[in-house]
Amino acid sequence: MRTGRRRRVGRGGRVVGLVAAALAGITAAAGAPPAVAAGEAPGAPGISAAWTTGAKNGVGTSTTTDSKVWHTLGQGVLNEVYYPQLDVPNVQDMQYVVSDGENFTELERDATEQRIELPDSRSLRYRQINTDADGRYRITKTYVTDPQRSVLMVRTRFEVLRGGPLQLYALYNPSLNGSGMGDTGATSQGSLVASDGEVSSALASSVGFDAATSGYSGTSSDGYQDLSADHRLDREYTEAADPGNLVQTARIPVEKDTTFTLALGFGPDRSAAKAATTAALDRTYEAARAEYDSGWHDYLSSLRETPESVTSRGLTTQYNVAAMTLKSQEDKTRRGAFVASTSIPWGGAKNANECCTPGYHLVWSRDLYHTATAALALGDRAAADRALDYLLNVQWNEDGSFPQNTWLDGEPHWQSLQLDEVAYPIVLAHELGRTGDAEWAKLKKSADFIVENGPSTPQERWEEEGGYSPSTIAAEIAGLVTAADMARQHGDEQSAQRYLDTADEWQRKVDDWTFTTSGPHGDGAYYQRIDDDGNPNNGNELCLNNGGGCHDERAIVDAGFLDLVRLGVKPADAPAVRDSLAETDAQLRVRTPNGPGWYRYNHDGYGEKAGGDPYAGEGVGRLWPLLTGERGEYELAAGGSAGKHLETMARMANEGHLIPEQVWDRESGNGFVFGEGTGSATPLAWSMSQFIQLARNMDAGENVETPDVVAERYAR
């Protein structure tokens, strides 16, 4: 499970110029009733703020570092927008409102049938097509970020399909600087500006606005509430001066078929945000799109040839999107900081009043290891090097440990310790051949830390339980054996022998600590998920997090023991490994319409509630696509085929080719589709990494991330 407060981001900036005259002034719409003149909006602070669903079906950013803005898409609209770095969300959502001025007013999110497409399979440019359920209009939106500045550009085509005339409004719900209750806003020379501390935004249109207002969500000054009352924007408030849950609304002049660009820019102050937005509109959407696409084309062309296992199965677009998505999860200021996901799982149930809800826009060293190994598989060595630099220069602690996770500046968020996260940076450095003096001075301390604190871990890879974990012990052993090889390169035979002696002992004893012979499943002989004291037959009670209940620890299984094979600690045909597969499958495997999926462990509570409501501290854990990929890697190691596992992962991806953290696990949907994503986190970088890694391994005929020095010592 991953679930804070944090200081707000502080960044300097420079005012970039004056707003163009083309945006100056707001004129009355022809034939529209005059708005009531109004100054400061009443109703502060408004209703409580929230984030949006973690289920994104599109993400985007430019490949440049000049544009420090990232966007996410879901439910047919724009969701969180991150600026100036990837751990600072600034938008709850932005969408259009359609009204006939007399009888109806509709949010496009709620009133339309939605689909998303990738117009160019080699660019992370998404298009949302939303068609009114009653057939009256269609809204088509294509998203790019200006590669030269921090501006999101939304190319919009509004079509009246029958009836009319219709009115179109942009409804912008900012949550600047990581919170939804501290924003102020105003109308300024044809644009809507907002700010909270050192983050500001500006919203403008290439065809201008007919009317604009800033108010407080859920109150009389909320433009959408005004529209809902009588289908007209009767009041225009020029300023919302008190901090609160700001909402901004603007009427866009449209006819029966109108195409225009909506631009949302960011800066350290309102003037800078306005100047960036104006410059982007002056440059035009077409110019920004061409440069945006070119950047992604060049990136994909710089990678290795697409694996035959991918092209032969018609999965090239899925592979390209996985590669581009991983790149998009890297911060542009803190280079090498790849977040776990640009999402806030079940964000609609997360209070956004205060800064700062962490979501998954944090850095875990384990997830970063998987992203880096996928980057290596892609042929992006530079990204893997940046990831290691970040681990060693930002996250590494003086005692050799690594935090459970951190904000991008290295400030820890959750405070626990997971020993696999101490081991994986050692394995990554060895894989990269980064074994010089600078790296070894730090990684030696990390290896010493493992020896002195392992093999039992305060938390295993699911971040919930402490004890003897097969997956953690596998990582620890791999870390120590690769550290021993580094020590010998530096002439430190004493340390090398210490690491190898420890690794050998733990490799011999891992079954004694974690393999029960008296369990309640199958023949009673299999790996447990975790054991509290290294005696897997005493049946001690294990109380699971997230409302999972208390159980005999022998009854709880997961597939983490497969890491013993992936990391070269045991051969694929090791008796204990083979003997555990049947019980694991019986307890955890579900055959979905998209292929086989596995739970993390039985009685998992990290997922939607039984009725489908968002997770809020307890629920029912669902299936994790990355576990399908891990099983595929085991099948490869055992000499079998992993084709169905790769295909299953691809089928579990959504329309935008993003692979989720979790997919729904049963026929009764409760609003979800069996075998497709839930409201947890999509995309999950670990899932996308696993897809890439499995595809590359299938072509190689082996798991290329398995450390040779470990496999030669134990598995071969």
Side-chain angles (χ1 to χ4, degrees):
M1 170 192 173
R2 313 161 186 267
T3 53
R5 288 194 53 82
R6 174 177 191 261
R7 64 179 180 269
R8 294 172 184 267
V9 67
R11 286 177 53 79
R14 179 173 63 90
V15 177
V16 204
L18 299 176
V19 178
L23 291 180
I26 295 178
T27 58
V36 176
E40 188 172 322
I47 63 174
S48 289
W51 294 108
T52 52
T53 176
K56 314 304 181 187
N57 54 18
V59 297
T61 190
S62 77
T63 58
T64 65
T65 57
D66 293 329
S67 179
K68 298 183 190 298
V69 63
W70 299 256
H71 61 276
T72 66
L73 308 174
Q75 300 176 307
V77 303
L78 176 72
N79 293 163
E80 291 92 4
V81 178
Y82 295 84
Y83 163 89
Q85 55 192 46
L86 259 177
D87 57 356
V88 185
N90 298 283
V91 176
Q92 178 178 319
D93 55 40
M94 185 172 72
Q95 60 184 301
Y96 290 111
V97 180
V98 180
S99 176
D100 67 351
E102 296 180 356
N103 301 305
F104 76 89
T105 297
E106 298 179 343
L107 289 169
E108 66 167 321
R109 181 193 61 201
D110 301 333
T112 63
E113 297 173 354
Q114 302 152 6
R115 62 188 178 92
I116 192 168
E117 63 185 24
L118 205 63
D120 181 341
S121 66
R122 293 177 59 81
S123 175
L124 209 57
R125 170 168 53 90
Y126 284 96
R127 176 176 294 151
Q128 293 173 323
I129 302 111
N130 299 336
T131 304
D132 175 42
D134 294 324
R136 292 168 296 197
Y137 59 87
R138 180 167 53 238
I139 302 172
T140 303
K141 300 175 293 186
T142 309
Y143 296 82
V144 302
T145 56
D146 185 337
Q148 298 182 16
R149 51 189 61 85
S150 297
V151 180
L152 171 64
M153 307 185 77
V154 188
R155 188 63 165 173
T156 305
R157 181 182 182 187
F158 178 69
E159 301 171 87
V160 179
L161 303 178
R162 67 175 179 84
L166 299 179
Q167 297 172 3
L168 184 69
Y169 298 84
L171 182 62
Y172 171 45
N173 193 345
S175 293
L176 299 175
N177 211 4
S179 73
M181 265 298 176
D183 300 339
T184 60
T187 301
S188 177
Q189 294 178 289
S191 63
L192 284 166
V193 294
S195 54
D196 182 355
E198 296 178 347
V199 175
S200 294
S201 68
L203 179 67
S205 160
S206 62
V207 294
F209 294 143
D210 281 340
T213 187
S214 297
Y216 300 99
S217 183
T219 74
S220 62
S221 62
D222 179 343
Y224 178 65
Q225 298 297 322
D226 193 17
L227 280 166
S228 298
D230 61 6
H231 314 298
R232 291 183 173 89
L233 192 63
D234 290 332
R235 288 179 289 275
E236 294 180 50
Y237 295 101
T238 57
E239 186 169 11
D242 295 323
N245 185 2
L246 178 70
V247 62
Q248 297 184 305
T249 311
R251 186 168 63 232
I252 300 164
V254 293
E255 298 178 351
K256 189 174 180 63
D257 189 343
T258 305
T259 298
F260 61 93
T261 301
L262 200 64
L264 178 62
F266 295 87
D269 54 49
R270 293 179 179 183
S271 294
K274 284 171 58 180
T277 303
T278 302
L281 288 173
D282 285 348
R283 187 187 183 216
T284 75
Y285 166 82
E286 289 77 9
R289 188 204 70 188
E291 186 178 352
Y292 182 92
D293 287 349
S294 178
W296 283 113
H297 296 167
D298 290 346
Y299 176 69
L300 290 178
S301 296
S302 73
L303 304 179
R304 288 177 178 163
E305 186 176 356
T306 305
E308 192 275 337
S309 61
V310 168
T311 56
S312 65
R313 290 175 169 81
L315 301 178
T316 299
T317 297
Q318 180 62 61
Y319 187 82
N320 286 345
V321 172
M324 292 188 290
T325 300
L326 286 184
K327 182 173 177 60
S328 78
Q329 305 298 286
E330 182 182 14
D331 190 60
K332 300 180 182 184
T333 301
R334 302 278 184 178
R335 304 295 285 152
F338 291 82
V339 299
S341 176
T342 44
S343 69
I344 300 170
W346 304 287
K350 301 288 179 66
N351 189 298
N353 287 348
E354 303 293 333
C355 186
C356 299
T357 304
Y360 281 9
H361 44 263
L362 301 170
V363 183
W364 281 259
S365 76
R366 174 179 47 254
D367 295 55
L368 189 50
Y369 158 80
H370 288 294
T371 296
T373 53
L376 275 177
L378 288 166
D380 190 352
R381 163 68 189 239
D385 277 328
R386 293 195 301 272
L388 182 62
D389 289 340
Y390 179 83
L391 285 165
L392 295 180
N393 298 329
V394 179
Q395 286 197 322
W396 182 85
N397 293 321
E398 187 60 36
D399 63 1
S401 68
F402 288 81
Q404 179 180 356
N405 57 21
T406 69
W407 299 94
L408 299 193
D409 62 4
E411 178 186 346
H413 176 54
W414 294 326
Q415 302 299 316
S416 190
L417 171 69
Q418 299 165 13
L419 288 176
D420 65 330
E421 292 198 300
V422 182
Y424 278 130
I426 305 174
V427 178
L428 177 60
H430 189 270
E431 186 172 5
L432 287 168
R434 296 274 302 276
T435 60
D437 291 345
E439 292 89 354
W440 178 239
K442 293 184 175 182
L443 293 175
K444 181 183 186 303
K445 287 189 175 184
S446 297
D448 290 339
F449 187 92
I450 294 170
V451 171
E452 292 158 8
N453 292 276
S456 180
T457 180
Q459 284 186 351
E460 35 70 277
R461 69 175 182 165
W462 301 132
E463 309 198 83
E464 297 167 355
E465 309 295 342
Y468 293 79
S469 155
S471 62
T472 298
I473 294 171
E476 291 171 327
I477 293 169
L480 290 176
V481 174
T482 52
D485 191 53
M486 294 186 205
R488 283 185 170 149
Q489 293 178 36
H490 287 267
D492 188 351
E493 289 293 334
Q494 182 177 0
S495 292
Q497 196 59 51
R498 182 189 186 211
Y499 302 151
L500 291 176
D501 288 346
T502 304
D504 290 348
E505 179 186 5
W506 294 357
Q507 196 269 351
R508 287 193 303 270
K509 291 183 176 179
V510 63
D511 291 2
D512 297 336
W513 292 325
T514 64
F515 187 86
T516 185
T517 56
S518 60
H521 308 307
D523 64 2
Y526 49 82
Y527 284 109
Q528 298 174 182
R529 172 194 170 190
I530 195 164
D531 193 272
D532 64 340
D533 60 2
N535 182 350
N537 288 309
N538 61 11
N540 286 347
E541 186 177 67
L542 175 63
C543 291
L544 302 174
N545 287 9
N546 313 311
C550 295
H551 309 269
D552 183 328
E553 62 188 1
R554 295 171 298 179
I556 308 301
V557 298
D558 83 342
F561 66 90
L562 295 180
D563 271 355
L564 293 166
V565 177
R566 182 182 67 84
L567 291 169
V569 175
K570 283 184 177 288
D573 61 354
V577 172
R578 287 201 320 267
D579 291 349
S580 299
L581 293 173
E583 286 82 6
T584 300
D585 287 349
Q587 297 301 313
L588 306 182
R589 185 174 61 187
V590 174
R591 299 187 185 279
T592 80
N594 289 324
W598 280 263
Y599 296 110
R600 297 193 304 173
Y601 54 86
N602 47 334
H603 303 292
D604 186 6
Y606 185 53
E608 276 84 3
K609 296 177 182 178
D613 289 337
Y615 169 84
E618 61 181 45
V620 180
R622 310 298 171 178
L623 308 173
W624 287 54
L626 70 88
L627 297 176
T628 298
E630 288 188 352
R631 184 57 172 266
E633 289 203 49
Y634 170 76
E635 298 298 340
L636 275 179
S641 169
K644 71 176 181 180
H645 301 85
L646 189 73
E647 292 166 2
T648 295
M649 291 191 75
R651 286 193 291 267
M652 287 177 170
N654 59 28
E655 278 187 296
H657 306 281
L658 305 182
I659 305 176
E661 175 189 71
Q662 300 182 41
V663 299
W664 196 249
D665 60 335
R666 58 201 65 200
E667 293 281 0
S668 56
N670 295 312
F672 298 101
V673 178
F674 191 18
E676 297 186 13
T678 71
S680 56
T682 306
L684 185 69
W686 190 353
S687 297
M688 305 296 264
S689 298
Q690 183 62 71
F691 179 83
I692 290 167
Q693 199 70 51
L694 181 58
R696 184 62 62 185
N697 290 343
M698 288 171 62
D699 270 27
E702 62 178 354
N703 296 321
V704 297
E705 79 271 25
T706 301
D708 284 338
V709 292
V710 182
E712 291 295 338
R713 190 168 188 85
Y714 302 121
R716 292 174 187 163

mmCIF file of all heavy atoms in Angstrom, residues 314-336:
data_model
loop_
_atom_site.group_PDB
_atom_site.id
_atom_site.type_symbol
_atom_site.label_atom_id
_atom_site.label_comp_id
_atom_site.label_asym_id
_atom_site.label_seq_id
_atom_site.Cartn_x
_atom_site.Cartn_y
_atom_site.Cartn_z
ATOM 1 N N GLY A 314 1.549 -7.655 -32.844
ATOM 2 C CA GLY A 314 0.801 -6.431 -33.096
ATOM 3 C C GLY A 314 0.734 -5.505 -31.901
ATOM 4 O O GLY A 314 -0.235 -4.763 -31.734
ATOM 5 N N LEU A 315 1.777 -5.506 -31.066
ATOM 6 C CA LEU A 315 1.783 -4.729 -29.832
ATOM 7 C C LEU A 315 2.753 -3.555 -29.886
ATOM 8 O O LEU A 315 3.156 -3.030 -28.845
ATOM 9 C CB LEU A 315 2.143 -5.640 -28.651
ATOM 10 C CG LEU A 315 1.226 -6.836 -28.407
ATOM 11 C CD1 LEU A 315 1.730 -7.670 -27.228
ATOM 12 C CD2 LEU A 315 -0.207 -6.378 -28.169
ATOM 13 N N THR A 316 3.102 -3.109 -31.081
ATOM 14 C CA THR A 316 4.100 -2.051 -31.203
ATOM 15 C C THR A 316 3.630 -0.751 -30.553
ATOM 16 O O THR A 316 4.398 -0.080 -29.854
ATOM 17 C CB THR A 316 4.445 -1.810 -32.682
ATOM 18 O OG1 THR A 316 4.987 -3.016 -33.235
ATOM 19 C CG2 THR A 316 5.474 -0.695 -32.825
ATOM 20 N N THR A 317 2.382 -0.376 -30.776
ATOM 21 C CA THR A 317 1.890 0.861 -30.153
ATOM 22 C C THR A 317 1.930 0.747 -28.637
ATOM 23 O O THR A 317 2.319 1.700 -27.940
ATOM 24 C CB THR A 317 0.468 1.184 -30.628
ATOM 25 O OG1 THR A 317 0.494 1.419 -32.039
ATOM 26 C CG2 THR A 317 -0.072 2.424 -29.934
ATOM 27 N N GLN A 318 1.530 -0.402 -28.111
ATOM 28 C CA GLN A 318 1.580 -0.596 -26.660
ATOM 29 C C GLN A 318 3.002 -0.448 -26.140
ATOM 30 O O GLN A 318 3.240 0.191 -25.103
ATOM 31 C CB GLN A 318 1.039 -1.985 -26.296
ATOM 32 C CG GLN A 318 1.062 -2.283 -24.810
ATOM 33 C CD GLN A 318 0.199 -1.334 -24.013
ATOM 34 O OE1 GLN A 318 -1.008 -1.268 -24.222
ATOM 35 N NE2 GLN A 318 0.798 -0.585 -23.103
ATOM 36 N N TYR A 319 3.962 -1.001 -26.850
ATOM 37 C CA TYR A 319 5.366 -0.917 -26.450
ATOM 38 C C TYR A 319 5.855 0.534 -26.516
ATOM 39 O O TYR A 319 6.521 1.024 -25.598
ATOM 40 C CB TYR A 319 6.195 -1.810 -27.365
ATOM 41 C CG TYR A 319 7.644 -1.962 -26.971
ATOM 42 C CD1 TYR A 319 8.033 -2.865 -25.990
ATOM 43 C CD2 TYR A 319 8.640 -1.226 -27.606
ATOM 44 C CE1 TYR A 319 9.370 -3.033 -25.640
ATOM 45 C CE2 TYR A 319 9.971 -1.375 -27.268
ATOM 46 C CZ TYR A 319 10.331 -2.287 -26.289
ATOM 47 O OH TYR A 319 11.653 -2.436 -25.951
ATOM 48 N N ASN A 320 5.508 1.224 -27.601
ATOM 49 C CA ASN A 320 5.917 2.630 -27.734
ATOM 50 C C ASN A 320 5.337 3.484 -26.610
ATOM 51 O O ASN A 320 6.033 4.335 -26.036
ATOM 52 C CB ASN A 320 5.452 3.188 -29.086
ATOM 53 C CG ASN A 320 6.263 2.668 -30.252
ATOM 54 O OD1 ASN A 320 7.346 2.112 -30.072
ATOM 55 N ND2 ASN A 320 5.747 2.840 -31.453
ATOM 56 N N VAL A 321 4.059 3.278 -26.307
ATOM 57 C CA VAL A 321 3.430 4.073 -25.252
ATOM 58 C C VAL A 321 4.059 3.757 -23.903
ATOM 59 O O VAL A 321 4.271 4.662 -23.078
ATOM 60 C CB VAL A 321 1.910 3.847 -25.228
ATOM 61 C CG1 VAL A 321 1.283 4.522 -24.006
ATOM 62 C CG2 VAL A 321 1.275 4.389 -26.501
ATOM 63 N N ALA A 322 4.383 2.498 -23.658
ATOM 64 C CA ALA A 322 5.064 2.151 -22.403
ATOM 65 C C ALA A 322 6.396 2.883 -22.296
ATOM 66 O O ALA A 322 6.736 3.441 -21.239
ATOM 67 C CB ALA A 322 5.270 0.640 -22.312
ATOM 68 N N ALA A 323 7.153 2.908 -23.388
ATOM 69 C CA ALA A 323 8.447 3.595 -23.383
ATOM 70 C C ALA A 323 8.272 5.091 -23.160
ATOM 71 O O ALA A 323 8.985 5.709 -22.354
ATOM 72 C CB ALA A 323 9.178 3.331 -24.703
ATOM 73 N N MET A 324 7.322 5.700 -23.873
ATOM 74 C CA MET A 324 7.113 7.147 -23.741
ATOM 75 C C MET A 324 6.563 7.498 -22.362
ATOM 76 O O MET A 324 6.939 8.518 -21.774
ATOM 77 C CB MET A 324 6.171 7.631 -24.842
ATOM 78 C CG MET A 324 6.769 7.568 -26.240
ATOM 79 S SD MET A 324 5.732 8.346 -27.525
ATOM 80 C CE MET A 324 4.350 7.208 -27.614
ATOM 81 N N THR A 325 5.679 6.666 -21.843
ATOM 82 C CA THR A 325 5.109 6.941 -20.525
ATOM 83 C C THR A 325 6.180 6.922 -19.457
ATOM 84 O O THR A 325 6.203 7.786 -18.558
ATOM 85 C CB THR A 325 4.004 5.926 -20.195
ATOM 86 O OG1 THR A 325 2.968 6.019 -21.182
ATOM 87 C CG2 THR A 325 3.413 6.197 -18.820
ATOM 88 N N LEU A 326 7.086 5.941 -19.513
ATOM 89 C CA LEU A 326 8.167 5.912 -18.531
ATOM 90 C C LEU A 326 8.995 7.190 -18.597
ATOM 91 O O LEU A 326 9.343 7.770 -17.569
ATOM 92 C CB LEU A 326 9.057 4.688 -18.755
ATOM 93 C CG LEU A 326 8.462 3.346 -18.339
ATOM 94 C CD1 LEU A 326 9.497 2.241 -18.532
ATOM 95 C CD2 LEU A 326 7.983 3.358 -16.895
ATOM 96 N N LYS A 327 9.301 7.647 -19.797
ATOM 97 C CA LYS A 327 10.057 8.884 -19.917
ATOM 98 C C LYS A 327 9.274 10.056 -19.338
ATOM 99 O O LYS A 327 9.853 10.950 -18.704
ATOM 100 C CB LYS A 327 10.422 9.160 -21.375
ATOM 101 C CG LYS A 327 11.262 10.433 -21.569
ATOM 102 C CD LYS A 327 11.748 10.592 -22.991
ATOM 103 C CE LYS A 327 12.513 11.906 -23.171
ATOM 104 N NZ LYS A 327 13.707 11.997 -22.300
ATOM 105 N N SER A 328 7.959 10.040 -19.510
ATOM 106 C CA SER A 328 7.138 11.154 -19.031
ATOM 107 C C SER A 328 7.058 11.216 -17.514
ATOM 108 O O SER A 328 6.627 12.235 -16.960
ATOM 109 C CB SER A 328 5.717 11.046 -19.600
ATOM 110 O OG SER A 328 4.942 10.084 -18.902
ATOM 111 N N GLN A 329 7.450 10.150 -16.829
ATOM 112 C CA GLN A 329 7.361 10.128 -15.370
ATOM 113 C C GLN A 329 8.633 10.661 -14.701
ATOM 114 O O GLN A 329 8.781 10.574 -13.481
ATOM 115 C CB GLN A 329 7.092 8.702 -14.880
ATOM 116 C CG GLN A 329 5.865 8.044 -15.490
ATOM 117 C CD GLN A 329 4.561 8.754 -15.179
ATOM 118 O OE1 GLN A 329 4.043 8.684 -14.073
ATOM 119 N NE2 GLN A 329 4.017 9.451 -16.167
ATOM 120 N N GLU A 330 9.551 11.228 -15.484
ATOM 121 C CA GLU A 330 10.777 11.798 -14.930
ATOM 122 C C GLU A 330 10.630 13.300 -14.750
ATOM 123 O O GLU A 330 10.149 14.010 -15.647
ATOM 124 C CB GLU A 330 11.964 11.524 -15.852
ATOM 125 C CG GLU A 330 13.280 12.048 -15.289
ATOM 126 C CD GLU A 330 14.471 11.841 -16.212
ATOM 127 O OE1 GLU A 330 14.252 11.522 -17.403
ATOM 128 O OE2 GLU A 330 15.619 11.994 -15.746
ATOM 129 N N ASP A 331 11.070 13.791 -13.603
ATOM 130 C CA ASP A 331 11.042 15.227 -13.375
ATOM 131 C C ASP A 331 12.082 15.923 -14.249
ATOM 132 O O ASP A 331 13.098 15.320 -14.638
ATOM 133 C CB ASP A 331 11.312 15.530 -11.901
ATOM 134 C CG ASP A 331 11.044 16.982 -11.563
ATOM 135 O OD1 ASP A 331 9.897 17.431 -11.745
ATOM 136 O OD2 ASP A 331 11.982 17.676 -11.140
ATOM 137 N N LYS A 332 11.849 17.204 -14.541
ATOM 138 C CA LYS A 332 12.738 17.937 -15.442
ATOM 139 C C LYS A 332 13.671 18.882 -14.710
ATOM 140 O O LYS A 332 14.528 19.495 -15.340
ATOM 141 C CB LYS A 332 11.897 18.696 -16.477
ATOM 142 C CG LYS A 332 11.033 17.757 -17.322
ATOM 143 C CD LYS A 332 10.204 18.498 -18.354
ATOM 144 C CE LYS A 332 9.323 17.535 -19.130
ATOM 145 N NZ LYS A 332 8.561 18.195 -20.206
ATOM 146 N N THR A 333 13.508 18.983 -13.400
ATOM 147 C CA THR A 333 14.446 19.738 -12.579
ATOM 148 C C THR A 333 15.327 18.782 -11.793
ATOM 149 O O THR A 333 16.555 18.885 -11.824
ATOM 150 C CB THR A 333 13.697 20.678 -11.621
ATOM 151 O OG1 THR A 333 12.884 21.568 -12.385
ATOM 152 C CG2 THR A 333 14.671 21.483 -10.767
ATOM 153 N N ARG A 334 14.701 17.839 -11.093
ATOM 154 C CA ARG A 334 15.417 16.779 -10.377
ATOM 155 C C ARG A 334 15.584 15.611 -11.340
ATOM 156 O O ARG A 334 14.816 14.660 -11.340
ATOM 157 C CB ARG A 334 14.626 16.348 -9.142
ATOM 158 C CG ARG A 334 14.352 17.476 -8.157
ATOM 159 C CD ARG A 334 15.521 17.712 -7.261
ATOM 160 N NE ARG A 334 15.199 18.739 -6.266
ATOM 161 C CZ ARG A 334 16.040 19.128 -5.317
ATOM 162 N NH1 ARG A 334 17.225 18.566 -5.232
ATOM 163 N NH2 ARG A 334 15.707 20.071 -4.457
ATOM 164 N N ARG A 335 16.580 15.694 -12.176
ATOM 165 C CA ARG A 335 16.772 14.673 -13.201
ATOM 166 C C ARG A 335 17.043 13.321 -12.547
ATOM 167 O O ARG A 335 17.752 13.209 -11.555
ATOM 168 C CB ARG A 335 17.916 15.056 -14.136
ATOM 169 C CG ARG A 335 17.739 16.413 -14.783
ATOM 170 C CD ARG A 335 16.531 16.439 -15.718
ATOM 171 N NE ARG A 335 16.790 15.729 -16.965
ATOM 172 C CZ ARG A 335 15.852 15.130 -17.691
ATOM 173 N NH1 ARG A 335 14.615 15.110 -17.260
ATOM 174 N NH2 ARG A 335 16.170 14.542 -18.820
ATOM 175 N N GLY A 336 16.469 12.274 -13.126
ATOM 176 C CA GLY A 336 16.597 10.937 -12.563
ATOM 177 C C GLY A 336 15.517 10.596 -11.568
ATOM 178 O O GLY A 336 15.401 9.437 -11.154
#
